[in-house]
Structure formats: C-alpha cells, structure tokens
Amino acid sequence: GLVCSIKTHSELLREGRAAAALEWLNAVAQSCDPLSLQVGSAVSGRLPPMLRCNLFLPRRIASAWNSLLLTLVAAPSFKGALAGAYVDAYSDVASEYARGIGSHHWSSYALSVQFLNRASYVKELAREKRLMETVVGAFLDMLRLAAKEIHSDSSSSDWSKTESLNDGKTGHSPRIQYIVNPLHTVLTQYRYHPIL
C-alpha cells in the first residue's frame, strides 16, 4: 500500500528547523578538522537509532542528515563507527525497505559505498559484526516476504518419513516448500537491489 503522512503547519516548521540544524552542524563540521571531530564524536553515539529510522525521515531531513554523515566520514574513527552502526541497523532497514518504506537514495544504503569498497573495513565488519550473515539473512527475509509457504497434506506423496524421537515409531512430517510470487513488490520494484 501507499505510505504517506499528513503534516500540520507547525510540523512542517519543526521539520524545517530540524533540517536547518543539521545543515548548520554540517557547516560547522566543514569549517575545520577539530570541530569536525567534535561533531563526529557527538553524533557517533546516536548512529544506530538514526540509521534505523532513516527510511521514515522526511526527504529534507534525510538529505541534510546524509550530507552531515558524508562530511564526518572523512575522519577514519567516525567512518569506523558509521560502518559498525550500519551493520547493526542493516536488518531493520532492509526489513522496512522490503515492505515498501523509503527510497534507497535517502537511506543508509547510500552510505555503504563509503566503507564497503575498502577491504580493511569489510574484513573487520565480517569478523566483528558478522556482516556476511547479516546481509544474507536480510536477503533471505526479503525473499520470504515475497514467498508463500506450501504445506503438503497427509495424503500427498510429497511427505517425508521421519522417525519420531519420543516413541520410536515411524511418522510423517510435512514438507514445507516456498513459492516466490514474481508479482510481489519486493521483486517488481527491485526492493532487493540495494542488498545485492
């Protein structure tokens, strides 16, 4: 379905002030390296929740937030913190994105090029944050969202025989199959693309 919001005039004003504050922080961070480090230090602790809710942010705030992050990523310590927070938030972001929330241009997906194209960051994230398991798990969850479970019934020859652990008798357990719906929005709108 369509995801939208209706805003009051006061909400639009608050949204404008929030975007202006982020733009101001970006200007401060760009002014000199010590201030950039200070802003990066203040922002680092808020990265995981901000990345998780990034898909829900209005475009103007998301744009200002992403611009600030791109400014701060020049510092290696902040880049490392951002990379870790990215993996921490990845499953949640992918889950919402698969359900049609947000655009990958305004999400944390767009930030991945800052560290996923550097072997040292990828190796560290794979070792310490289980990057590969997280990405593959998110992709499988997306495919499950687009799939339909099919259970075989007792009269079907598709059942597999198993031995019951509690009484030693041979029993039947259903075989579960998944059929992917090619018309599901995950596939028709290429919602899986940023993961690949």
Side-chain angles (χ1 to χ4, degrees):
L2 180 64
V3 177
C4 64
S5 64
I6 299 172
K7 300 175 188 175
T8 65
H9 180 68
S10 63
E11 288 173 328
L12 288 172
L13 290 175
R14 283 196 302 266
E15 183 180 302
R17 285 193 296 267
L22 289 169
E23 290 164 358
W24 176 79
L25 276 176
N26 193 12
V28 168
Q30 288 176 353
S31 67
C32 66
D33 289 343
L35 287 176
S36 179
L37 292 173
Q38 287 294 331
V39 172
S41 174
V43 168
S44 290
R46 292 163 182 80
L47 283 173
M50 285 298 293
L51 293 178
R52 281 186 185 96
C53 74
N54 201 0
L55 292 173
F56 298 98
L57 293 175
R59 182 172 287 181
R60 184 170 175 206
I61 294 175
S63 176
W65 171 247
N66 286 350
S67 293
L68 174 62
L69 294 179
L70 290 174
T71 296
L72 297 175
V73 84
S77 60
F78 184 82
K79 186 182 277 195
L82 178 61
Y86 176 86
V87 176
D88 290 343
Y90 194 88
S91 294
D92 295 329
V93 171
S95 175
E96 295 298 338
Y97 187 74
R99 287 174 174 73
I101 306 294
S103 163
H104 78 276
H105 298 293
W106 303 108
S107 73
S108 55
Y109 288 133
L111 301 169
S112 66
V113 71
Q114 298 299 319
F115 42 84
L116 290 182
N117 62 355
R118 308 271 191 301
S120 61
Y121 285 107
V122 172
K123 287 177 185 176
E124 183 178 336
L125 292 172
R127 185 178 60 252
E128 294 181 15
K129 295 282 189 173
R130 301 175 48 102
L131 172 66
M132 298 311 292
E133 291 89 343
T134 301
V135 172
V136 170
F139 182 63
L140 286 175
D141 288 344
M142 276 190 177
L143 289 180
R144 283 188 191 111
L145 186 64
K148 185 166 92 171
E149 261 185 38
I150 307 283
H151 294 274
S152 299
D153 64 357
S154 59
S155 63
S156 171
S157 61
D158 237 1
W159 284 56
S160 61
K161 290 191 173 190
T162 60
E163 190 170 305
S164 175
L165 295 176
N166 58 1
D167 60 8
K169 295 179 183 174
T170 301
H172 294 281
S173 64
R175 190 168 173 215
I176 300 173
Q177 296 178 340
Y178 293 95
I179 309 276
V180 176
N181 176 3
L183 299 177
H184 194 279
T185 56
V186 166
L187 300 174
T188 59
Q189 295 179 9
Y190 304 103
R191 300 302 277 186
Y192 59 86
H193 184 263
I195 287 183
L196 301 177

